[in-house]
Amino acid sequence: VKIFAGGSLTITDLGSLAVKGSFDNNGTLTNNGRIELNGNTLQNFPGPGVINAMGILHLNNTGPGVSLNKSINIEKELRPTSGLFNIGNYDVTIKSSLVRTASVSKVGATSGFNYGTGRFIVERYIPSGINHGKSWQLLATPTNDGQTINNSWQEGAATPNANPVPGFGTQITSDIANATTIGFDVFTAPGPSMKYFNSLTNWTGVGNTLTTPIYNSHGYMVFVRGDRSVINLSGANSTSIPTILRTRGKLFVTGTNPPPTIPITAGKFESVGNPYASAIDFSNPNGVIFNGPPNVDNLFYVWDPTLGGAYGYGGYQTISGLVDWIPNPGGTTNYPSVANSKIQSGQAFLMHGGALGGSVTFAEDAKVDSSRMTLREIRSTYVVGEKQFLKSRLFSNFNNQLALVDGNIVVMNSNLSNDYTADDAIKLINGGENFGLNSNNKIYAIEARLPAVAADTIFFATSNLKAINYKLEFVSEHPLANALMPFLIDNYLQTTTPISLMDTTYYDFSVISNIPASAVNRFMIVFKPGQTVPVKIISLKAIRNYTNTVSVHGKVENELNINHYEIERSFDGSHFETIKTLAPLNNIGGNAVYSFVDETAPLNEIFYRLKAIDVDSHFVFSDVVKVAAIKGNPIVTVTPNPIKGQRIQLSFNGSSIGDYYYEISNSIGQIIDFGSFQLSSSSQKISLKLGVFLSGGVYNLILKTKGSSDIILQVAAY
């Protein structure tokens, strides 16, 4: 391909161009889509001309590879499938912005990188002043080559507070007495703004930005105020603004520059940096590999800058396979309460060594765009429908403004243990308020235990509470049919409050300036026998009709004092939702038959159960019944449509499970937003939070996943 001087070539968002020879651009190239270099002899790319955009660059050369002859910026994806990428003396920048962060996908077995003086520059956009204010960030450095902290995140500033490249870098401060003479911008007490993790001493400030390499396999905790123009803690230049942090060096590739193996000490936490310029999936056992004794806990911790806390600077989210990878406490912009086992490009995280410790390393299969044949299993075996969650969250209530600050989860199942095991998640303590679980002389964020028996007690542990108002929230999911009711005990006020097994329970309390009101053991939950529901559910059947609807039939006897029945549906046999409420038919001790046709039944495998609730809110479940999947074309709908604002609600029916990429384009074909999500069930509802507001009009929403054709939907906006 040759673009002559004065000429131009534009590849649209959905467009693709395959090139077997060299690519010589002397004009203007705009690649919003994909360029594939798939020759069998050495290919040169891209030529000396102007490049407005470089979306996807697919290196699929079956011969000696591709040689770069100009520095380029990758805005979507570098896809090195086959053939060496000879970078030479040019730089490849992996871009990051509010709209997207580009990535380097799985490096093929016959691919790799050859360097001269050129390197990769990997960016990480920090939306300070947009998604959150000044905050701590737990960041990884995905390049290694000896670059110093000053040369990278301080943008080579020659003097304190200098801002050589507006929009990039950040202020780095220290509590060392001669801070400004060893590269820091400001002396700050009581602590530094850039720290690394030490499993013995926890967070330790870096000692010198002029000589310390930016690469650290454990990552850094960095307080980001904005770019380097935000130079004061208060005053005229204190407003937080977005910035981009970037490093320059070589990328990790299995074989030539393999990512490190990170030891994790028994009983200790360890910080681990994502070594790749790509998101990785912790749940993929072929990519994130545990070595040594199999006691490294099967969970990880991330720092969420959008989580509340004493100062609003962020807090820890605990993500465990035991609770289906749903973040705890969840409920934030970055980590809503939906399954998320991914770690982003440029993000570090923490792990726990369990009883014996071990280590973790990363293969190319860890990258989310790679084929994922299996998911990491948790150590216990669960029976469908028997896992109960009791979720508790703490909100601060200052001037009637609620802010989520922390939470915990109790998981009950007959295959779990009340002893400390690798299924339990030790709590990482936030700098602000903490709300954990006290058991076995440890504080948990997630506790695994046997089903409750009468008088069983859950002990909460609170710390760092301030003299303000708070609200507790309790949600019980999939309660076990053991006729026990949980009651919240407030040891300070000496009150007992029942916790509903059917609805969300809230409890307001205040902390005043005395020790008992903020005591670590102020709250606990005690299980007490509840009243048995008199009705007996004899049978439940569910039959798929020729119209693909499902008929559900239930028989009961001894129907007495029943308030109503609920027919519940599940796509995985564990998470149920109510789809129909039925009034009692023979509520004087008689027998009755209840029937319902599920007109919205999906084509995939589906589960049903019947729930009977009496007038005192006690309830009982039927057995769970399953309806087999049938073959059919997947259906995806936008509901409601038109939409309003920044959120699109998608309903999937019979779709392929896996990772999806989406793009939204306007009427003239310009991509105005894109992103990704994971579909964990073939029939599932997904809520997309867009990075832009859609003004009135019609837009195209394109959904892409491996092994399936693209799905194109029209979305109208008010």
Side-chain angles (χ1 to χ4, degrees), residues 224-247:
V224 180
R225 303 175 175 93
D227 75 0
R228 291 187 55 78
S229 68
V230 185
I231 63 175
N232 296 321
L233 298 179
S234 62
N237 296 323
S238 66
T239 302
S240 183
I241 62 175
T243 189
I244 294 173
L245 301 183
R246 55 186 177 177
T247 64

Side-chain angles (χ1 to χ4, degrees), residues 15-254:
S16 180
L17 175 66
V19 180
K20 290 190 175 296
S22 290
F23 197 108
D24 188 12
N25 170 34
N26 293 280
T28 301
L29 170 64
T30 303
N31 174 25
N32 293 318
R34 180 174 70 97
I35 291 176
E36 179 181 357
L37 302 174
N38 61 3
N40 54 18
T41 59
L42 183 67
Q43 294 179 273
N44 296 310
F45 184 84
V50 175
I51 301 177
N52 286 333
M54 182 59 64
I56 298 172
L57 178 59
H58 186 184
L59 307 176
N60 196 21
N61 184 287
T62 58
V66 174
S67 285
L68 197 65
N69 52 27
K70 180 178 181 168
S71 294
I72 59 173
N73 297 330
I74 302 294
E75 297 183 357
K76 292 182 181 177
E77 181 184 9
L78 176 64
R79 194 177 295 169
T81 302
S82 178
L84 291 177
F85 191 21
N86 301 291
I87 296 171
N89 300 329
Y90 301 96
D91 284 346
V92 179
T93 301
I94 309 300
K95 300 291 291 180
S96 180
S97 68
L98 177 63
V99 177
R100 64 164 68 93
T101 293
S103 65
V104 179
S105 66
K106 179 179 178 179
V107 179
T110 61
S111 188
F113 308 118
N114 278 337
Y115 299 91
T117 60
R119 293 292 185 267
F120 283 92
I121 299 172
V122 181
E123 298 183 350
R124 177 74 256 178
Y125 180 85
I126 309 293
S128 304
I130 298 178
N131 290 352
H132 51 75
K134 301 173 185 177
S135 64
W136 289 99
Q137 303 277 338
L138 186 52
L139 302 176
T141 49
T143 63
N144 68 334
D145 202 27
Q147 188 185 34
T148 66
I149 295 172
N150 176 267
N151 288 335
S152 53
W153 289 354
Q154 288 181 303
E155 290 295 322
T159 59
N161 299 329
N163 186 22
V165 189
F168 290 83
T170 193
Q171 292 277 303
I172 299 178
T173 66
S174 176
D175 56 355
I176 300 174
N178 60 337
T180 57
T181 66
I182 52 177
F184 296 99
D185 292 291
V186 180
F187 169 81
T188 51
S193 71
M194 184 173 180
K195 302 178 283 188
Y196 63 92
F197 193 81
N198 182 313
S199 61
L200 297 178
T201 60
N202 291 334
W203 297 106
T204 303
V206 298
N208 185 315
T209 69
L210 299 175
T211 59
T212 304
I214 184 63
Y215 173 70
N216 186 321
S217 62
H218 302 283
Y220 296 99
M221 184 72 86
V222 185
F223 189 70
V224 180
R225 303 175 175 93
D227 75 0
R228 291 187 55 78
S229 68
V230 185
I231 63 175
N232 296 321
L233 298 179
S234 62
N237 296 323
S238 66
T239 302
S240 183
I241 62 175
T243 189
I244 294 173
L245 301 183
R246 55 186 177 177
T247 64
R248 182 178 184 271
K250 296 179 179 179
L251 295 183
F252 289 104
V253 179
T254 301

Side-chain angles (χ1 to χ4, degrees), residues 348-428:
F349 58 101
L350 289 107
M351 295 181 64
H352 188 260
L356 298 178
S359 63
V360 63
T361 191
F362 303 90
E364 289 286 332
D365 281 337
K367 296 178 179 179
V368 294
D369 69 318
S370 60
S371 176
R372 184 178 55 187
M373 301 302 294
T374 59
L375 291 177
R376 187 183 305 282
E377 295 289 341
I378 56 177
R379 293 178 175 84
S380 301
T381 303
Y382 299 107
V383 179
V384 170
E386 282 196 1
K387 188 164 54 171
Q388 178 183 1
F389 301 121
L390 181 58
K391 300 180 178 180
S392 308
R393 300 200 295 183
L394 173 67
F395 295 81
S396 64
N397 187 2
F398 186 68
N399 292 333
N400 292 321
Q401 295 294 317
L402 288 178
L404 174 63
V405 293
D406 205 5
N408 56 72
I409 304 176
V410 176
V411 185
M412 289 178 275
N413 181 267
S414 58
N415 292 318
L416 296 174
S417 169
N418 288 346
D419 298 328
Y420 169 57
T421 71
D423 292 322
D424 297 302
I426 299 294
K427 181 169 177 55
L428 267 168

Side-chain angles (χ1 to χ4, degrees), residues 27-28 69 81 98 124 147 254 265 294 298 338 358 462 479 523 528 531 553 614 629 654 679 682 687 695 703:
T28 301
N69 52 27
T81 302
L98 177 63
R124 177 74 256 178
Q147 188 185 34
T254 301
T265 305
N298 186 32
V338 296
T462 57
F523 298 105
K528 301 179 181 180
Q531 181 178 333
H553 306 285
D614 72 8
L679 199 66
S682 60
S687 179
S695 57
L703 305 176

